[in-house]
Amino acid sequence: VPAGQMKMGSNLDPTEKPVRDVSVGSFAAGRFPVTVAEWRLCVAARGCSFEPGGQPDDPVHNVSWTDAQQYIAWLSDRTGKRYRLLTEAEWEYAARAGS
């Protein structure tokens, strides 16, 4: 995702005030959700303690922040690359897709 700026927040919802200008640097993000099958690889390797339910191709759900950190640590160790969760601003910027 290329670097850019956006206005984050809303004057329509008091919980989203104040509207502020936010700049984000470029970053990479997964295009698809992590599947139950992918998560189960982490469980089998004893990198993740959360056992997801559902079909193998389903997106994994009901994951806590701690669960996600376990998966990220396992994935980083397995691939030799650094992974992390997106910040709130990065997630919103990517979700807006330039709108």
Side-chain angles (χ1 to χ4, degrees), residues 58-81:
D58 290 347
V60 73
H61 61 283
N62 294 333
V63 177
S64 72
W65 182 88
T66 301
D67 297 331
Q69 293 303 313
Q70 288 177 347
Y71 185 81
I72 290 167
W74 170 79
L75 186 62
S76 295
D77 185 59
R78 184 172 183 221
T79 64
K81 297 180 181 180

Side-chain angles (χ1 to χ4, degrees), residues 80-91:
K81 297 180 181 180
R82 182 178 173 268
Y83 292 89
R84 63 175 177 81
L85 295 176
L86 298 179
T87 66
E88 180 182 8
E90 289 169 336
W91 190 95

Side-chain angles (χ1 to χ4, degrees), residues 10-95:
S10 170
N11 285 321
L12 301 175
D13 183 340
T15 65
E16 294 186 15
K17 287 183 178 182
V19 175
R20 60 210 173 274
D21 291 318
V22 176
S23 295
V24 295
S26 62
F27 59 94
R31 289 193 216 177
F32 306 104
V34 175
T35 66
V36 169
E38 291 167 331
W39 193 281
R40 286 181 178 157
L41 293 172
C42 181
V43 173
R46 300 190 194 279
C48 295
S49 56
F50 172 71
E51 179 69 54
Q55 298 299 310
D57 290 336
D58 290 347
V60 73
H61 61 283
N62 294 333
V63 177
S64 72
W65 182 88
T66 301
D67 297 331
Q69 293 303 313
Q70 288 177 347
Y71 185 81
I72 290 167
W74 170 79
L75 186 62
S76 295
D77 185 59
R78 184 172 183 221
T79 64
K81 297 180 181 180
R82 182 178 173 268
Y83 292 89
R84 63 175 177 81
L85 295 176
L86 298 179
T87 66
E88 180 182 8
E90 289 169 336
W91 190 95
E92 187 168 330
Y93 181 72

